[in-house]
Amino acid sequence: YKVTGNSEPIRDYNRVGWGTISFLEGVQHSSNVLFAKLVNEYIGFDMYREYLTKFGFENPTGIELPNEVGGQIVYQYPRDKAATGFGQATAITPIQQIQGAIAIANDGKMLRPHVVDKIVDSNTEETIEDIEPEVTGTPISAETAKKVRDILETVISSPNGTGYGKFNIEGYKVAGKTGTAQIPGGTGYLEGANNHVYSFIGMVPKDDPQLVMYVAVQQPEVNSQVSGSLPVSTIFKTVMKNSLQYLNIKPDAQIQPEIKEVSDVTGFSASEAANTLQESGLQPVLLGNGDNVVKHIPENGEKILPGEKIILLTDGSVTMPNLTGWSLRDVMKLAELVQIKVQVEGQGYVVSQSIPEGNVLNAGDTLQVNLQSYGGQIQEDTDQENSDQENTEQQNEEAEGT
Protein backbone atom coordinates (compact mmCIF):
# COMPACT_ATOMS: atom_id res chain seq x y z
CA TYR A 1 0.00 0.00 0.00
CA LYS A 2 1.52 3.30 -1.11
CA VAL A 3 0.55 6.33 0.94
CA THR A 4 1.90 8.65 -1.76
CA GLY A 5 3.19 8.04 -5.24
CA ASN A 6 6.81 8.39 -4.14
CA SER A 7 6.76 6.71 -0.74
CA GLU A 8 8.01 3.21 -0.01
CA PRO A 9 5.11 0.71 0.05
CA ILE A 10 3.73 -0.58 3.33
CA ARG A 11 3.49 -4.37 3.30
CA ASP A 12 1.90 -6.98 5.52
CA TYR A 13 4.18 -9.32 7.44
CA ASN A 14 3.52 -12.19 5.02
CA ARG A 15 4.56 -9.93 2.12
CA VAL A 16 1.56 -10.89 -0.07
CA GLY A 17 -1.53 -10.10 1.99
CA TRP A 18 -4.68 -12.26 2.03
CA GLY A 19 -6.51 -11.20 -1.10
CA THR A 20 -9.80 -9.38 -0.59
CA ILE A 21 -10.68 -9.40 3.11
CA SER A 22 -13.03 -7.48 5.36
CA PHE A 23 -11.86 -4.75 7.72
CA LEU A 24 -12.57 -7.11 10.63
CA GLU A 25 -10.35 -9.80 9.11
CA GLY A 26 -7.68 -7.14 8.63
CA VAL A 27 -7.64 -6.50 12.38
CA GLN A 28 -7.60 -10.24 13.07
CA HIS A 29 -4.65 -10.75 10.71
CA SER A 30 -2.88 -7.69 12.17
CA SER A 31 -2.62 -6.20 8.70
CA ASN A 32 -0.31 -3.22 8.39
CA VAL A 33 -2.09 -2.27 5.17
CA LEU A 34 -5.47 -2.19 6.90
CA PHE A 35 -4.33 0.14 9.67
CA ALA A 36 -2.46 2.39 7.23
CA LYS A 37 -5.58 2.68 5.05
CA LEU A 38 -7.75 3.42 8.07
CA VAL A 39 -5.52 6.28 9.15
CA ASN A 40 -4.95 7.70 5.68
CA GLU A 41 -8.32 7.22 3.96
CA TYR A 42 -10.98 6.90 6.66
CA ILE A 43 -9.91 8.68 9.85
CA GLY A 44 -7.61 11.25 8.28
CA PHE A 45 -4.18 12.33 9.42
CA ASP A 46 -5.33 15.38 11.38
CA MET A 47 -8.06 13.61 13.34
CA TYR A 48 -5.85 10.61 14.03
CA ARG A 49 -3.15 12.89 15.41
CA GLU A 50 -5.75 14.37 17.77
CA TYR A 51 -6.62 10.88 19.00
CA LEU A 52 -2.98 10.12 19.79
CA THR A 53 -3.06 13.10 22.14
CA LYS A 54 -6.47 12.22 23.58
CA PHE A 55 -5.24 8.74 24.45
CA GLY A 56 -2.31 10.21 26.37
CA PHE A 57 0.50 8.90 24.19
CA GLU A 58 2.57 12.09 24.41
CA ASN A 59 2.84 12.90 28.10
CA PRO A 60 3.87 10.83 31.14
CA THR A 61 0.90 9.23 32.89
CA GLY A 62 1.95 10.52 36.32
CA ILE A 63 2.23 7.07 37.88
CA GLU A 64 4.15 7.03 41.18
CA LEU A 65 7.36 5.64 39.70
CA PRO A 66 10.65 7.50 39.09
CA ASN A 67 11.97 8.71 35.74
CA GLU A 68 8.78 8.22 33.73
CA VAL A 69 8.97 9.64 30.20
CA GLY A 70 6.37 10.54 27.61
CA GLY A 71 5.96 9.07 24.17
CA GLN A 72 7.71 9.99 20.93
CA ILE A 73 5.47 10.37 17.90
CA VAL A 74 7.03 11.03 14.51
CA TYR A 75 4.36 12.72 12.43
CA GLN A 76 6.02 14.65 9.62
CA TYR A 77 5.91 12.59 6.42
CA PRO A 78 2.73 10.97 5.04
CA ARG A 79 4.15 7.44 5.27
CA ASP A 80 5.13 7.96 8.90
CA LYS A 81 1.65 9.24 9.68
CA ALA A 82 0.03 6.15 8.15
CA ALA A 83 2.59 3.80 9.72
CA THR A 84 1.77 5.18 13.16
CA GLY A 85 -1.57 3.37 12.76
CA PHE A 86 0.18 0.02 13.20
CA GLY A 87 2.78 1.20 15.69
CA GLN A 88 5.71 2.24 13.53
CA ALA A 89 7.22 5.73 13.80
CA THR A 90 6.03 5.74 17.41
CA ALA A 91 7.64 4.95 20.75
CA ILE A 92 5.33 4.79 23.78
CA THR A 93 5.74 3.19 27.18
CA PRO A 94 3.91 0.11 28.47
CA ILE A 95 2.12 2.14 31.13
CA GLN A 96 0.90 4.55 28.43
CA GLN A 97 -0.50 1.57 26.57
CA ILE A 98 -2.23 0.42 29.74
CA GLN A 99 -3.74 3.87 30.27
CA GLY A 100 -5.01 3.97 26.68
CA ALA A 101 -6.44 0.45 26.92
CA ILE A 102 -8.32 1.42 30.08
CA ALA A 103 -10.46 3.75 27.95
CA ILE A 104 -11.52 0.74 25.88
CA ALA A 105 -12.08 -1.43 28.96
CA ASN A 106 -13.83 1.32 30.95
CA ASP A 107 -16.50 2.40 28.45
CA GLY A 108 -14.48 5.31 27.09
CA LYS A 109 -13.24 6.77 30.40
CA MET A 110 -9.46 6.75 30.74
CA LEU A 111 -8.08 6.50 34.28
CA ARG A 112 -4.72 7.53 35.69
CA PRO A 113 -2.73 4.42 36.66
CA HIS A 114 -1.44 4.03 40.23
CA VAL A 115 0.92 1.66 41.99
CA VAL A 116 -1.20 1.22 45.13
CA ASP A 117 -4.88 1.49 45.98
CA LYS A 118 -4.45 2.79 49.51
CA ILE A 119 -1.94 3.14 52.37
CA VAL A 120 -2.97 1.85 55.82
CA ASP A 121 -1.18 2.23 59.16
CA SER A 122 -0.44 -1.34 60.23
CA ASN A 123 -0.62 -0.41 63.91
CA THR A 124 -3.84 1.59 64.01
CA GLU A 125 -5.40 0.29 60.78
CA GLU A 126 -6.10 3.92 59.96
CA THR A 127 -6.22 4.74 56.24
CA ILE A 128 -3.48 7.29 55.65
CA GLU A 129 -4.11 7.73 51.95
CA ASP A 130 -6.92 6.40 49.77
CA ILE A 131 -6.32 6.70 46.03
CA GLU A 132 -9.57 7.54 44.28
CA PRO A 133 -10.07 6.80 40.56
CA GLU A 134 -9.21 9.83 38.45
CA VAL A 135 -10.57 10.20 34.93
CA THR A 136 -7.82 11.66 32.70
CA GLY A 137 -9.89 11.85 29.53
CA THR A 138 -12.76 10.43 27.51
CA PRO A 139 -11.23 9.83 24.08
CA ILE A 140 -14.07 7.60 22.84
CA SER A 141 -17.71 6.93 23.63
CA ALA A 142 -18.99 3.96 25.60
CA GLU A 143 -20.56 2.61 22.41
CA THR A 144 -17.27 2.78 20.54
CA ALA A 145 -15.39 1.18 23.45
CA LYS A 146 -17.81 -1.76 23.42
CA LYS A 147 -17.48 -2.16 19.66
CA VAL A 148 -13.67 -2.16 19.94
CA ARG A 149 -13.82 -4.83 22.66
CA ASP A 150 -16.05 -6.95 20.41
CA ILE A 151 -13.52 -6.63 17.59
CA LEU A 152 -10.52 -7.37 19.81
CA GLU A 153 -12.26 -10.45 21.17
CA THR A 154 -12.22 -11.94 17.65
CA VAL A 155 -8.41 -11.63 17.61
CA ILE A 156 -8.55 -14.42 20.21
CA SER A 157 -11.66 -16.36 19.15
CA SER A 158 -11.42 -16.34 15.33
CA PRO A 159 -9.23 -18.81 13.43
CA ASN A 160 -7.98 -15.77 11.50
CA GLY A 161 -6.81 -14.09 14.70
CA THR A 162 -3.16 -13.72 15.59
CA GLY A 163 -4.04 -14.67 19.17
CA TYR A 164 -6.20 -17.67 18.22
CA GLY A 165 -5.56 -20.68 20.42
CA LYS A 166 -2.84 -18.93 22.43
CA PHE A 167 -4.40 -16.29 24.67
CA ASN A 168 -7.81 -17.81 25.41
CA ILE A 169 -8.67 -18.52 29.05
CA GLU A 170 -11.24 -21.24 29.64
CA GLY A 171 -14.51 -19.82 30.89
CA TYR A 172 -13.71 -16.20 30.04
CA LYS A 173 -13.92 -14.01 26.96
CA VAL A 174 -10.60 -12.27 26.34
CA ALA A 175 -10.25 -9.11 24.24
CA GLY A 176 -6.75 -8.17 23.19
CA LYS A 177 -4.11 -7.46 20.58
CA THR A 178 -0.79 -9.10 19.81
CA GLY A 179 2.33 -7.17 18.84
CA THR A 180 5.76 -7.88 17.40
CA ALA A 181 8.32 -5.07 17.30
CA GLN A 182 11.72 -5.11 15.67
CA ILE A 183 14.70 -3.93 17.69
CA PRO A 184 16.93 -1.15 16.34
CA GLY A 185 20.64 -1.80 16.32
CA GLY A 186 23.50 -0.07 14.53
CA THR A 187 22.35 1.15 11.12
CA GLY A 188 19.17 -0.90 10.94
CA TYR A 189 17.10 -3.49 12.76
CA LEU A 190 18.49 -6.66 14.33
CA GLU A 191 18.30 -9.75 12.14
CA GLY A 192 17.02 -13.16 13.23
CA ALA A 193 13.65 -14.73 13.90
CA ASN A 194 13.65 -14.06 17.64
CA ASN A 195 15.28 -10.63 17.66
CA HIS A 196 11.95 -8.98 18.40
CA VAL A 197 9.90 -7.76 21.31
CA TYR A 198 6.77 -9.92 21.48
CA SER A 199 3.83 -8.45 23.37
CA PHE A 200 0.15 -8.76 24.16
CA ILE A 201 -2.32 -6.45 25.84
CA GLY A 202 -5.55 -8.06 26.99
CA MET A 203 -8.62 -7.34 29.08
CA VAL A 204 -10.94 -9.78 30.88
CA PRO A 205 -13.88 -10.38 30.97
CA LYS A 206 -14.55 -8.84 27.57
CA ASP A 207 -18.04 -7.49 28.28
CA ASP A 208 -17.16 -5.94 31.66
CA PRO A 209 -13.36 -5.87 32.00
CA GLN A 210 -11.99 -5.96 35.53
CA LEU A 211 -8.35 -6.53 34.64
CA VAL A 212 -6.06 -5.16 31.92
CA MET A 213 -2.65 -6.74 31.45
CA TYR A 214 0.31 -5.91 29.22
CA VAL A 215 3.05 -8.51 28.74
CA ALA A 216 6.22 -8.07 26.69
CA VAL A 217 9.15 -10.45 26.20
CA GLN A 218 12.29 -9.26 24.44
CA GLN A 219 14.37 -11.71 22.38
CA PRO A 220 13.01 -14.93 23.94
CA GLU A 221 15.36 -17.89 23.85
CA VAL A 222 13.24 -20.36 21.91
CA ASN A 223 14.12 -22.72 19.08
CA SER A 224 13.08 -22.16 15.47
CA GLN A 225 9.98 -24.34 15.86
CA VAL A 226 8.49 -22.21 18.65
CA SER A 227 7.07 -18.74 18.18
CA GLY A 228 8.40 -15.95 20.37
CA SER A 229 4.81 -15.23 21.36
CA LEU A 230 4.62 -18.52 23.29
CA PRO A 231 6.31 -17.20 26.46
CA VAL A 232 4.08 -14.09 26.24
CA SER A 233 0.92 -16.20 26.14
CA THR A 234 2.19 -18.45 28.95
CA ILE A 235 2.79 -15.45 31.21
CA PHE A 236 -0.51 -13.79 30.31
CA LYS A 237 -2.69 -16.85 30.83
CA THR A 238 -1.00 -17.91 34.06
CA VAL A 239 -1.07 -14.51 35.76
CA MET A 240 -4.49 -13.51 34.41
CA LYS A 241 -6.15 -16.80 35.39
CA ASN A 242 -4.72 -16.65 38.92
CA SER A 243 -5.77 -13.01 39.24
CA LEU A 244 -9.33 -13.75 38.12
CA GLN A 245 -9.57 -16.52 40.70
CA TYR A 246 -8.01 -14.36 43.44
CA LEU A 247 -10.49 -11.55 42.79
CA ASN A 248 -13.33 -14.08 42.51
CA ILE A 249 -14.38 -12.81 39.09
CA LYS A 250 -16.97 -15.24 37.80
CA PRO A 251 -16.56 -16.92 34.40
CA ASP A 252 -18.70 -15.92 31.45
CA ALA A 253 -21.67 -18.07 30.56
CA GLN A 254 -20.51 -20.81 28.25
CA ILE A 255 -21.52 -20.08 24.67
CA GLN A 256 -21.50 -22.89 22.14
CA PRO A 257 -20.18 -22.07 18.66
CA GLU A 258 -22.98 -21.44 16.20
CA ILE A 259 -23.21 -24.36 13.77
CA LYS A 260 -24.73 -23.39 10.43
CA GLU A 261 -26.35 -25.56 7.79
CA VAL A 262 -25.32 -25.09 4.17
CA SER A 263 -28.03 -24.27 1.65
CA ASP A 264 -27.93 -25.65 -1.88
CA VAL A 265 -26.82 -22.91 -4.29
CA THR A 266 -26.04 -25.22 -7.24
CA GLY A 267 -27.32 -23.60 -10.42
CA PHE A 268 -27.28 -20.12 -8.91
CA SER A 269 -25.30 -17.40 -10.61
CA ALA A 270 -21.89 -16.94 -9.03
CA SER A 271 -22.77 -13.55 -7.56
CA GLU A 272 -26.19 -14.68 -6.34
CA ALA A 273 -24.69 -17.76 -4.65
CA ALA A 274 -21.99 -15.74 -2.94
CA ASN A 275 -24.47 -13.12 -1.72
CA THR A 276 -26.90 -15.77 -0.43
CA LEU A 277 -24.19 -17.49 1.61
CA GLN A 278 -22.71 -14.24 2.91
CA GLU A 279 -26.12 -13.11 4.11
CA SER A 280 -26.27 -16.34 6.12
CA GLY A 281 -22.97 -15.46 7.77
CA LEU A 282 -20.92 -17.97 5.75
CA GLN A 283 -17.63 -17.50 3.88
CA PRO A 284 -17.94 -18.43 0.17
CA VAL A 285 -14.90 -18.75 -2.09
CA LEU A 286 -15.56 -18.73 -5.85
CA LEU A 287 -13.44 -20.93 -8.12
CA GLY A 288 -13.47 -20.39 -11.87
CA ASN A 289 -14.53 -17.57 -14.10
CA GLY A 290 -17.87 -19.08 -15.05
CA ASP A 291 -21.28 -17.51 -14.57
CA ASN A 292 -22.99 -20.32 -12.63
CA VAL A 293 -22.20 -22.61 -9.69
CA VAL A 294 -21.99 -26.28 -10.68
CA LYS A 295 -20.94 -27.76 -7.33
CA HIS A 296 -19.92 -26.73 -3.85
CA ILE A 297 -18.33 -28.22 -0.73
CA PRO A 298 -19.70 -28.55 1.92
CA GLU A 299 -22.83 -29.73 0.13
CA ASN A 300 -26.49 -29.02 0.77
CA GLY A 301 -27.58 -29.79 4.33
CA GLU A 302 -24.09 -30.32 5.72
CA LYS A 303 -23.09 -28.55 8.94
CA ILE A 304 -20.29 -25.98 8.98
CA LEU A 305 -18.29 -24.49 11.84
CA PRO A 306 -17.54 -20.78 12.28
CA GLY A 307 -14.58 -19.73 10.15
CA GLU A 308 -14.91 -22.58 7.65
CA LYS A 309 -15.06 -21.76 3.96
CA ILE A 310 -17.60 -22.92 1.39
CA ILE A 311 -15.82 -23.58 -1.90
CA LEU A 312 -18.00 -22.85 -4.94
CA LEU A 313 -17.00 -24.32 -8.31
CA THR A 314 -18.28 -22.43 -11.35
CA ASP A 315 -18.55 -23.59 -14.95
CA GLY A 316 -15.49 -21.68 -16.15
CA SER A 317 -11.76 -22.38 -16.10
CA VAL A 318 -10.40 -22.59 -12.56
CA THR A 319 -7.41 -20.63 -11.28
CA MET A 320 -5.55 -21.06 -8.01
CA PRO A 321 -6.65 -18.71 -5.22
CA ASN A 322 -4.34 -17.27 -2.57
CA LEU A 323 -4.41 -19.95 0.14
CA THR A 324 -2.54 -17.97 2.79
CA GLY A 325 -4.29 -18.46 6.13
CA TRP A 326 -6.44 -21.38 4.90
CA SER A 327 -6.92 -24.41 7.11
CA LEU A 328 -5.98 -27.83 5.78
CA ARG A 329 -9.67 -28.76 5.89
CA ASP A 330 -10.48 -25.94 3.46
CA VAL A 331 -7.55 -26.85 1.20
CA MET A 332 -8.87 -30.41 0.96
CA LYS A 333 -12.30 -29.08 -0.08
CA LEU A 334 -10.60 -27.26 -2.94
CA ALA A 335 -8.68 -30.41 -3.89
CA GLU A 336 -11.83 -32.51 -3.92
CA LEU A 337 -13.69 -30.06 -6.13
CA VAL A 338 -10.91 -29.61 -8.69
CA GLN A 339 -9.55 -33.17 -8.35
CA ILE A 340 -5.95 -32.24 -7.62
CA LYS A 341 -3.47 -33.93 -5.32
CA VAL A 342 -2.21 -32.25 -2.17
CA GLN A 343 1.10 -32.71 -0.39
CA VAL A 344 1.25 -31.22 3.10
CA GLU A 345 4.17 -30.10 5.18
CA GLY A 346 3.66 -28.87 8.75
CA GLN A 347 0.54 -28.25 10.80
CA GLY A 348 -1.81 -25.32 11.28
CA TYR A 349 -2.60 -22.85 8.48
CA VAL A 350 -1.18 -22.28 5.00
CA VAL A 351 1.83 -19.96 4.77
CA SER A 352 3.01 -20.91 1.26
CA GLN A 353 1.81 -22.84 -1.80
CA SER A 354 3.62 -24.44 -4.73
CA ILE A 355 1.08 -23.37 -7.38
CA PRO A 356 1.03 -19.56 -7.54
CA GLU A 357 -2.16 -17.59 -7.24
CA GLY A 358 -3.77 -17.10 -10.66
CA ASN A 359 -2.36 -20.24 -12.32
CA VAL A 360 -4.91 -22.40 -14.14
CA LEU A 361 -5.73 -25.64 -12.27
CA ASN A 362 -6.18 -28.95 -14.06
CA ALA A 363 -7.33 -32.30 -12.71
CA GLY A 364 -4.34 -34.33 -11.56
CA ASP A 365 -2.15 -31.35 -10.68
CA THR A 366 -0.12 -31.66 -7.48
CA LEU A 367 -0.26 -28.84 -4.94
CA GLN A 368 2.20 -28.63 -2.07
CA VAL A 369 1.26 -26.45 0.89
CA ASN A 370 3.38 -25.49 3.88
CA LEU A 371 1.47 -25.03 7.11
CA GLN A 372 2.37 -23.38 10.39
CA SER A 373 0.40 -22.85 13.54
CA TYR A 374 -0.57 -19.25 14.16
CA GLY A 375 1.93 -19.32 16.98
CA GLY A 376 4.70 -19.99 14.47
CA GLN A 377 3.32 -18.08 11.54
CA ILE A 378 2.40 -14.77 13.00
CA GLN A 379 5.10 -12.20 13.28
CA GLU A 380 2.84 -9.29 12.67
CA ASP A 381 4.04 -5.81 12.03
CA THR A 382 7.68 -6.80 11.47
CA ASP A 383 7.78 -5.28 8.01
CA GLN A 384 9.76 -2.25 9.08
CA GLU A 385 10.40 -0.64 5.72
CA ASN A 386 12.30 2.63 5.95
CA SER A 387 10.22 5.69 5.30
CA ASP A 388 11.14 8.67 3.13
CA GLN A 389 14.90 8.99 2.84
CA GLU A 390 14.98 12.15 4.95
CA ASN A 391 13.59 10.24 7.93
CA THR A 392 15.55 6.97 7.70
CA GLU A 393 18.05 7.62 10.50
CA GLN A 394 15.42 8.86 12.93
CA GLN A 395 13.05 6.00 12.21
CA ASN A 396 15.76 3.43 12.90
CA GLU A 397 15.76 4.66 16.50
CA GLU A 398 12.08 3.92 17.06
CA ALA A 399 10.22 0.84 18.17
CA GLU A 400 7.03 -0.49 16.68
CA GLY A 401 4.38 -2.54 18.39
CA THR A 402 0.80 -2.84 17.25
Side-chain angles (χ1 to χ4, degrees):
Y1 174 68
K2 279 200 167 191
V3 182
T4 67
N6 297 325
S7 65
E8 289 292 324
I10 289 171
R11 295 185 176 90
D12 286 316
Y13 65 87
N14 66 1
R15 312 297 293 180
V16 296
W18 297 270
T20 301
I21 58 175
S22 68
F23 281 77
L24 177 61
E25 288 174 306
V27 176
Q28 294 166 354
H29 283 299
S30 198
S31 166
N32 295 345
V33 171
L34 165 74
F35 289 107
K37 284 178 69 70
L38 279 175
V39 171
N40 184 30
E41 300 178 21
Y42 292 86
I43 301 174
F45 288 152
D46 292 340
M47 181 176 291
Y48 186 69
R49 185 63 184 84
E50 292 177 11
Y51 273 114
L52 294 176
T53 299
K54 289 180 179 179
F55 272 95
F57 292 142
E58 289 177 283
N59 301 317
T61 65
I63 194 170
E64 304 92 338
L65 292 172
N67 304 319
E68 185 189 10
V69 297
Q72 296 180 6
I73 300 170
V74 176
Y75 216 72
Q76 181 176 359
Y77 299 103
R79 190 186 186 280
D80 288 335
K81 295 177 181 180
T84 300
F86 56 88
Q88 196 174 342
T90 300
I92 62 175
T93 66
I95 201 65
Q96 285 180 312
Q97 292 192 57
I98 287 286
Q99 179 180 246
I102 287 173
I104 297 170
N106 195 39
D107 290 336
K109 296 179 181 179
M110 195 163 62
L111 303 177
R112 186 181 307 282
H114 292 280
V115 178
V116 297
D117 177 41
K118 60 182 177 179
I119 301 172
V120 178
D121 188 314
S122 59
N123 295 319
T124 65
E125 296 188 357
E126 177 186 358
T127 299
I128 299 172
E129 186 176 0
D130 194 352
I131 308 298
E132 296 291 335
E134 178 187 351
V135 176
T136 57
T138 310
I140 54 176
S141 67
E143 180 183 2
T144 297
K146 180 184 182 302
K147 186 171 293 186
V148 173
R149 292 199 302 269
D150 290 341
I151 292 171
L152 293 181
E153 191 266 337
T154 70
V155 172
I156 316 302
S157 64
S158 169
N160 293 325
T162 56
Y164 181 69
K166 293 184 293 182
F167 293 93
N168 55 304
I169 297 175
E170 185 177 358
Y172 298 89
K173 291 181 181 179
V174 179
K177 185 71 187 71
T178 57
T180 305
Q182 287 184 300
I183 301 172
T187 59
Y189 290 99
L190 298 182
E191 301 289 339
N194 292 320
N195 274 329
H196 298 89
V197 176
Y198 297 90
S199 62
F200 180 76
I201 191 164
M203 53 194 72
V204 187
K206 185 265 291 186
D207 292 323
D208 183 22
Q210 301 298 305
L211 293 168
V212 175
M213 184 186 300
Y214 175 85
V215 179
V217 176
Q218 179 172 326
Q219 295 166 296
E221 296 181 6
V222 293
N223 62 45
S224 60
Q225 304 302 312
V226 177
S227 167
S229 63
L230 179 60
V232 178
S233 64
T234 301
I235 295 167
F236 175 83
K237 290 194 294 186
T238 302
V239 177
M240 180 62 82
K241 186 174 182 180
N242 288 340
S243 301
L244 291 166
Q245 293 174 345
Y246 177 79
L247 295 173
N248 196 27
I249 298 173
K250 296 181 179 179
D252 297 302
Q254 295 298 311
I255 300 176
Q256 298 298 323
E258 184 180 3
I259 308 298
K260 294 183 178 292
E261 184 173 307
V262 177
S263 301
D264 188 7
V265 292
T266 304
F268 284 36
S269 70
S271 59
E272 183 184 7
N275 289 336
T276 298
L277 295 172
Q278 286 175 341
E279 289 173 358
S280 300
L282 303 175
Q283 297 185 33
V285 175
L286 285 168
L287 292 179
N289 56 9
D291 296 326
N292 300 301
V293 175
V294 295
K295 188 177 182 181
H296 56 83
I297 295 178
E299 298 179 339
N300 180 40
E302 290 189 30
K303 302 294 192 298
I304 188 169
L305 292 169
E308 272 195 77
K309 292 178 171 58
I310 300 178
I311 316 298
L312 307 175
L313 181 64
T314 67
D315 50 8
S317 60
V318 179
T319 58
M320 172 62 71
N322 181 356
L323 302 179
T324 302
W326 282 38
S327 67
L328 178 59
R329 180 183 177 92
D330 287 334
V331 173
M332 298 311 296
K333 295 174 192 173
L334 167 68
E336 182 178 344
L337 274 175
V338 189
Q339 297 182 345
I340 61 174
K341 302 173 184 177
V342 178
Q343 295 178 353
V344 180
E345 183 175 320
Q347 295 180 336
Y349 297 85
V350 177
V351 293
S352 66
Q353 59 195 78
S354 62
I355 302 177
E357 178 184 5
N359 279 26
V360 174
L361 290 175
N362 298 301
D365 286 348
T366 298
L367 167 69
Q368 179 172 336
V369 291
N370 294 320
L371 279 64
Q372 290 184 21
S373 68
Y374 272 112
Q377 174 193 349
I378 299 301
Q379 291 192 358
E380 65 276 14
D381 311 327
T382 60
D383 178 26
Q384 299 287 331
E385 301 269 345
N386 285 333
S387 185
D388 299 321
Q389 292 298 318
E390 300 92 331
N391 200 32
T392 299
E393 182 177 350
Q394 186 174 17
Q395 193 153 323
N396 279 339
E397 298 174 356
E398 295 153 4
E400 168 278 322
T402 296

